Amino acid sequence: MKIVHTADWHLGKILNGKSLLEDQEYILKQFIEEMKEEQPEVIVIAGDLYDTSYPNKDAVKLLEQTIAELNLELNIPLIITNGNHDGKARLNYGAEWFSKSNLHIRTSLEDINNPIIINGVNFYTLPFATLAEIKDFLNDDEIQTYQQGITQLLNIITENLNSNEINILIGHLTVQGGIRSDSEREITIGTVEEVNERHFDNFDRVLLGHLHHPFSINSEYIHYSGSLLQYSFSEVNQSKGYRIINIEDNEVKGYFKKLEPKRELEIVTGDYEDVVQERLLVKNKDNYMQFRLSHMSHVTDPMSILKNIFPNTLSLINNEMNEQFNQFDVDNTMHQKSDFEIINEFYRYVTDQSLSDNQSKMITNVLEEIDKGEY
Amino acid sequence: MKIVHTADWHLGKILNGKSLLEDQEYILKQFIEEMKEEQPEVIVIAGDLYDTSYPNKDAVKLLEQTIAELNLELNIPLIITNGNHDGKARLNYGAEWFSKSNLHIRTSLEDINNPIIINGVNFYTLPFATLAEIKDFLNDDEIQTYQQGITQLLNIITENLNSNEINILIGHLTVQGGIRSDSEREITIGTVEEVNERHFDNFDRVLLGHLHHPFSINSEYIHYSGSLLQYSFSEVNQSKGYRIINIEDNEVKGYFKKLEPKRELEIVTGDYEDVVQERLLVKNKDNYMQFRLSHMSHVTDPMSILKNIFPNTLSLINNEMNEQFNQFDVDNTMHQKSDFEIINEFYRYVTDQSLSDNQSKMITNVLEEIDKGEY
């Protein structure tokens, strides 16, 4: 049996004001072409299909067209669960009809104990849910951490697991030790949200979404497919694609397959003049660029000059300032300082001035309100 | 063959700040119960399923549950077209999967020539489209009026019509002479939007949405089902329900069936004291009330007093003022007056004062901007 594992499509994503829909359309076309070749017996999409609960109509159309092609044209069964970016109601709309064509959309904890069985393999789904939703579902107010909640949900699943069969879990969460990037929105604020690897050891394979790096975790049986595209500058140079899992004679093997995006994210560090004179080599002038440049303080509007040469420039950082930040970053006495002191020092680094009385008062007020839990 | 014809559900409708979703849920449950009895061979929903292009998730859920029950539980084929209130992309989402279960959603003019055939009867769909969309579809810039556009679309359909078969048209538009109410949003602004009855005479039956009165038009073969509920106070005392069309031995017969809403709209006219002392008979204290009362100028907050007695009071009109308006309404010289004169006289009627210089200037400015097309 051949399974394709993908996740974190984030359709409708806007990066630094730029819609990535065209890039998403491009890469999904490529994905569809490869599926024609691969002919998997099921495609698993482990959450964050959309970037927001209120995707615009072009993002909705792109998802609809893509899954229609995979499911109705190529007749490939699909299993889809929601991530923390998806709106459940939106993603789940029409699911009753879809399931008749083997397009299974799972967004409810009610179904965790009810696997989708494809060619004798059990696919259990653990859709993303907030801690509050998990407590509510388990009717247990004593659960304090996300890990406790997930552990209880996994207990419900594993209780009835037949270990003679192949059991695959599909989820959207962070496994302890996983490599993070900047574009994964926190799942819960203020609670430990990571789940220890050992909780999953009753499964033959765990196919996850949430972390964007395709090799986020070093595990024999837990995999992140990684995101469809690079979605933050912390993901520069990361390959993006999907994973193929082969099950033969009860043995499960997997590997990663790279897709070629229309544009990548690229960070260029150097001297401003070298860049605008094109003396610095870049990978692709059409890439989405972040420039980190020095010696540019004399230029009035460097961004428009850069955009004339590199049309998809998304970000420009003054490297001299940035070096000051870096210096600031490694201040080892940081953890001994109060929040106010940190803000004040930061302000002084950036502006060469101390906070005014009025500014100090405003910041103190905000910090007090945060302390009181008003934010 | 038994056809059920309904339209103008306007799910998510908010009337004077009050969401009608509970009433819509109530009436749709009743509708579903009656469908269990009636067992029609098809249900036609002729547009305006939602009240807006961005229905909230409860409205979306109610539509999904209702059509799931009708289509998947009761196994009744459905034909749905969009009205001027629906967002096409939203309504059409999932249509490719739905059609496999005989749930046909038609929102595109591309399909006008491609009937849905159920038990030998041809159902042609003419989904709502704006004049601009029609011109674009026909690739004809010379079309000036809505009627011209619709006529050309109908010509495309009737060209290939087999008059030996039974041909039914489903649409969402205004037929000339149809009775209007206040809750039908104009289809086009500034162009004649009515279509003459004779353009439809190649069809055995024309099942329409848009006008909310179930007997909007006096025709042998053109029917409005009317809306699901009373949606404006101009619809008070209108029966609401659905229509049954029976086709036997090539003969088509139809009749209207009333549904019983949880609450109706009710207008109570009289003296304020009579109402609050409950000396005036009302149909149902829980109805959505509009009071048109006299002798209430001495009361500080009549609305809250009325709401204590009639919890679903939505509207309160000072009848003394209203009489002045009525008097104003029948001013036969109105059409000879300028916009500014009309506004000025209206202001004088209401306040007993003329517009100040400053007010006059502001209104003149606005009227000039409207003239210039800036609004």
Side-chain angles (χ1 to χ4, degrees):
Chain A
M1 177 185 224
K2 189 191 273 185
I3 304 163
V4 162
H5 168 208
T6 172
D8 294 279
W9 290 8
H10 289 272
L11 302 186
K13 169 90 178 174
I14 291 168
L15 182 63
N16 291 31
K18 170 77 186 168
S19 162
L20 301 181
L21 203 75
E22 195 190 327
D23 299 83
Q24 295 174 324
E25 210 173 328
Y26 179 91
I27 204 88
L28 285 174
K29 263 197 192 140
Q30 201 180 122
F31 180 70
I32 290 166
E33 285 310 309
E34 300 210 1
M35 292 307 105
K36 283 182 192 164
E37 297 296 316
E38 295 286 355
Q39 292 280 351
E41 274 141 287
V42 58
I43 297 172
V44 167
I45 315 178
D48 284 359
L49 284 87
Y50 291 121
D51 194 56
T52 88
S53 310
Y54 293 95
N56 67 36
K57 70 172 195 282
D58 294 326
V60 173
K61 203 169 152 190
L62 178 56
L63 180 65
E64 189 188 12
Q65 282 174 344
T66 304
I67 58 176
E69 193 131 21
L70 295 170
N71 181 245
L72 298 178
E73 302 298 321
L74 305 182
N75 284 311
I76 305 171
L78 264 75
I79 303 176
I80 293 174
T81 59
N82 60 299
N84 54 321
H85 283 247
D86 300 305
K88 289 187 197 191
R90 163 106 251 174
L91 194 63
N92 197 54
Y93 180 82
E96 272 192 82
W97 287 269
F98 297 161
S99 65
K100 290 175 183 285
S101 304
N102 277 315
L103 164 53
H104 305 278
I105 299 182
R106 289 288 188 89
T107 61
S108 165
L109 294 175
E110 301 286 341
D111 292 318
I112 53 170
N113 218 357
N114 170 24
I116 297 151
I117 303 165
I118 296 178
N119 299 347
V121 174
N122 302 318
F123 292 88
Y124 286 89
T125 50
L126 183 63
F128 169 75
T130 63
L131 184 55
E133 286 167 337
I134 295 172
K135 284 162 85 164
D136 190 54
F137 172 74
L138 294 169
N139 203 3
D140 183 347
D141 263 347
E142 309 211 333
I143 298 169
Q144 299 290 325
T145 68
Y146 203 71
Q147 169 150 305
Q148 285 169 5
I150 295 289
T151 310
Q152 286 207 33
L153 293 175
L154 290 174
N155 287 344
I156 293 175
I157 301 178
T158 48
E159 234 175 336
N160 300 306
L161 222 54
N162 181 346
S163 59
N164 295 322
E165 294 174 351
I166 292 188
N167 298 300
I168 291 180
L169 181 73
I170 301 165
H172 190 93
L173 44 78
T174 307
V175 174
Q176 243 164 51
I179 302 167
R180 290 159 182 254
S181 46
D182 287 345
S183 51
E184 296 133 12
R185 189 190 295 162
E186 291 292 306
I187 277 183
T188 51
I189 308 291
T191 53
V192 177
E193 63 170 43
E194 295 185 339
V195 184
N196 192 293
E197 195 177 327
R198 69 185 154 78
H199 294 293
F200 299 100
D201 58 11
N202 287 308
F203 296 95
D204 295 281
R205 273 295 189 279
V206 183
L207 309 182
L208 296 175
H210 191 53
L211 300 184
H212 285 196
H213 195 304
F215 300 95
S216 292
I217 185 141
N218 187 9
S219 161
E220 284 291 310
Y221 66 103
I222 303 177
H223 304 297
Y224 286 93
S225 66
S227 55
L228 190 65
L229 290 171
Q230 296 164 349
Y231 285 131
S232 71
F233 283 100
S234 70
E235 294 168 51
V236 159
N237 293 330
Q238 273 179 29
S239 290
K240 300 293 183 177
Y242 56 93
R243 203 170 285 276
I244 290 187
I245 318 280
N246 275 311
I247 305 176
E248 259 170 65
D249 308 325
N250 266 20
E251 217 186 312
V252 188
K253 281 180 189 168
Y255 59 95
F256 176 76
K257 277 204 77 176
K258 193 177 179 318
L259 291 169
E260 289 303 330
K262 189 177 170 79
R263 288 173 280 239
E264 288 190 275
L265 269 59
E266 183 172 350
I267 297 177
V268 177
T269 307
D271 189 89
Y272 174 78
E273 277 303 318
D274 284 345
V275 169
V276 296
Q277 300 301 330
E278 301 189 53
R279 289 190 291 249
L280 257 183
L281 205 66
V282 302
K283 272 164 55 182
N284 178 347
K285 277 173 81 169
D286 282 328
N287 274 348
Y288 292 119
M289 295 293 192
Q290 180 175 81
F291 289 103
R292 301 175 177 187
L293 305 183
S294 45
H295 304 116
M296 54 185 277
S297 49
H298 62 290
V299 191
T300 316
D301 187 3
M303 193 60 160
S304 31
I305 296 168
L306 287 165
K307 278 193 172 175
N308 271 333
I309 310 169
F310 308 97
N312 297 310
T313 299
L314 293 187
S315 162
L316 170 59
I317 292 171
N318 186 332
N319 219 17
E320 281 145 47
M321 258 180 197
N322 204 40
E323 274 159 25
Q324 292 174 351
F325 294 161
N326 287 341
Q327 202 181 326
F328 185 80
D329 271 339
V330 294
D331 177 351
N332 289 323
T333 62
M334 181 80 77
H335 64 281
Q336 297 159 358
K337 291 177 183 165
S338 74
D339 290 341
F340 180 81
E341 281 170 316
I342 294 168
I343 293 167
N344 194 20
E345 284 181 22
F346 173 77
Y347 189 81
R348 204 160 49 224
Y349 266 101
V350 178
T351 64
D352 271 335
Q353 297 184 320
S354 279
L355 289 165
S356 73
D357 279 2
N358 201 17
Q359 287 171 324
S360 301
K361 209 179 287 172
M362 281 171 73
I363 286 166
T364 312
N365 283 343
V366 170
L367 290 172
E368 277 174 7
E369 280 171 18
I370 291 171
D371 255 8
K372 277 190 268 171
E374 288 174 22
Y375 275 91
Chain B
M1 176 183 223
K2 189 192 273 184
I3 304 163
V4 161
H5 168 210
T6 171
D8 294 278
W9 289 8
H10 290 272
L11 301 186
K13 169 91 180 173
I14 290 168
L15 183 62
N16 291 31
K18 170 79 186 166
S19 161
L20 301 180
L21 203 75
E22 194 191 325
D23 300 83
Q24 293 173 326
E25 210 173 329
Y26 178 93
I27 203 86
L28 284 173
K29 265 197 189 140
Q30 203 182 121
F31 180 68
I32 290 166
E33 285 310 309
E34 300 210 2
M35 291 307 105
K36 284 183 192 164
E37 298 296 315
E38 293 286 354
Q39 294 280 351
E41 277 141 285
V42 59
I43 298 172
V44 168
I45 316 179
D48 283 358
L49 285 87
Y50 292 121
D51 195 54
T52 87
S53 310
Y54 293 95
N56 67 36
K57 69 171 195 279
D58 294 325
V60 173
K61 203 169 153 191
L62 179 56
L63 181 65
E64 189 188 12
Q65 282 175 343
T66 304
I67 59 177
E69 192 130 22
L70 295 170
N71 181 245
L72 299 178
E73 302 299 320
L74 305 182
N75 284 311
I76 304 171
L78 264 73
I79 303 175
I80 293 175
T81 57
N82 61 299
N84 54 320
H85 283 246
D86 300 304
K88 288 187 197 191
R90 163 105 250 176
L91 193 64
N92 197 54
Y93 180 81
E96 272 191 83
W97 287 270
F98 297 162
S99 65
K100 291 176 182 285
S101 304
N102 276 315
L103 164 52
H104 305 278
I105 299 183
R106 290 287 187 89
T107 61
S108 164
L109 293 176
E110 300 285 342
D111 292 317
I112 53 170
N113 218 359
N114 169 24
I116 297 151
I117 303 166
I118 297 177
N119 298 348
V121 174
N122 302 318
F123 291 88
Y124 287 89
T125 50
L126 182 64
F128 169 74
T130 62
L131 184 55
E133 287 167 336
I134 296 172
K135 284 161 86 164
D136 190 53
F137 172 75
L138 294 170
N139 204 4
D140 182 348
D141 263 347
E142 307 211 334
I143 298 170
Q144 299 289 327
T145 68
Y146 203 71
Q147 168 151 303
Q148 285 169 5
I150 295 288
T151 310
Q152 286 207 32
L153 294 175
L154 291 174
N155 286 344
I156 293 175
I157 302 177
T158 47
E159 235 175 338
N160 300 307
L161 222 53
N162 180 345
S163 59
N164 295 322
E165 295 175 350
I166 292 187
N167 298 300
I168 291 180
L169 181 73
I170 301 165
H172 190 92
L173 45 77
T174 307
V175 173
Q176 241 164 51
I179 302 167
R180 292 161 180 250
S181 45
D182 287 346
S183 50
E184 297 133 10
R185 190 190 294 161
E186 291 292 306
I187 278 184
T188 50
I189 309 290
T191 53
V192 176
E193 62 170 44
E194 297 185 337
V195 184
N196 193 293
E197 196 178 327
R198 69 186 154 78
H199 290 111
F200 300 101
D201 57 11
N202 287 310
F203 296 96
D204 295 282
R205 275 294 191 277
V206 182
L207 309 182
L208 296 175
H210 191 54
L211 300 184
H212 284 196
H213 196 304
F215 300 95
S216 293
I217 185 139
N218 188 10
S219 161
E220 284 291 310
Y221 67 102
I222 302 177
H223 304 297
Y224 287 93
S225 66
S227 56
L228 190 64
L229 290 170
Q230 296 163 349
Y231 285 130
S232 71
F233 284 101
S234 70
E235 294 169 51
V236 158
N237 294 329
Q238 273 179 29
S239 291
K240 300 293 184 179
Y242 56 92
R243 204 171 285 276
I244 291 187
I245 318 279
N246 275 309
I247 304 176
E248 261 171 64
D249 308 325
N250 266 20
E251 219 185 313
V252 188
K253 280 180 189 168
Y255 58 95
F256 176 76
K257 277 203 78 176
K258 194 178 178 318
L259 291 167
E260 288 302 330
K262 190 177 170 82
R263 289 173 280 240
E264 288 190 276
L265 268 58
E266 183 172 349
I267 298 176
V268 177
T269 307
D271 187 272
Y272 174 77
E273 277 305 316
D274 285 346
V275 169
V276 296
Q277 300 302 330
E278 299 189 51
R279 289 189 293 249
L280 256 183
L281 206 65
V282 302
K283 270 162 59 180
N284 178 347
K285 277 173 81 168
D286 283 327
N287 274 347
Y288 292 119
M289 295 293 191
Q290 179 176 80
F291 289 102
R292 301 176 175 185
L293 305 183
S294 45
H295 304 117
M296 54 184 281
S297 50
H298 62 291
V299 191
T300 315
D301 186 3
M303 194 60 160
S304 32
I305 296 168
L306 287 165
K307 278 194 171 173
N308 271 333
I309 311 169
F310 309 97
N312 297 311
T313 299
L314 293 187
S315 160
L316 171 59
I317 292 171
N318 186 332
N319 219 17
E320 281 145 46
M321 258 180 197
N322 204 40
E323 274 159 26
Q324 293 174 348
F325 294 160
N326 288 341
Q327 204 182 321
F328 185 79
D329 271 339
V330 293
D331 178 353
N332 290 321
T333 62
M334 181 78 80
H335 63 280
Q336 298 159 357
K337 291 176 182 165
S338 73
D339 290 341
F340 179 81
E341 280 171 315
I342 293 168
I343 293 168
N344 194 23
E345 284 181 24
F346 173 77
Y347 188 81
R348 203 160 52 222
Y349 265 102
V350 178
T351 64
D352 270 337
Q353 295 182 323
S354 279
L355 289 164
S356 72
D357 278 2
N358 201 17
Q359 288 171 323
S360 300
K361 209 178 288 173
M362 284 170 71
I363 287 166
T364 310
N365 283 343
V366 170
L367 290 173
E368 278 173 7
E369 282 171 16
I370 291 170
D371 254 9
K372 276 189 267 169
E374 290 176 19
Y375 275 90

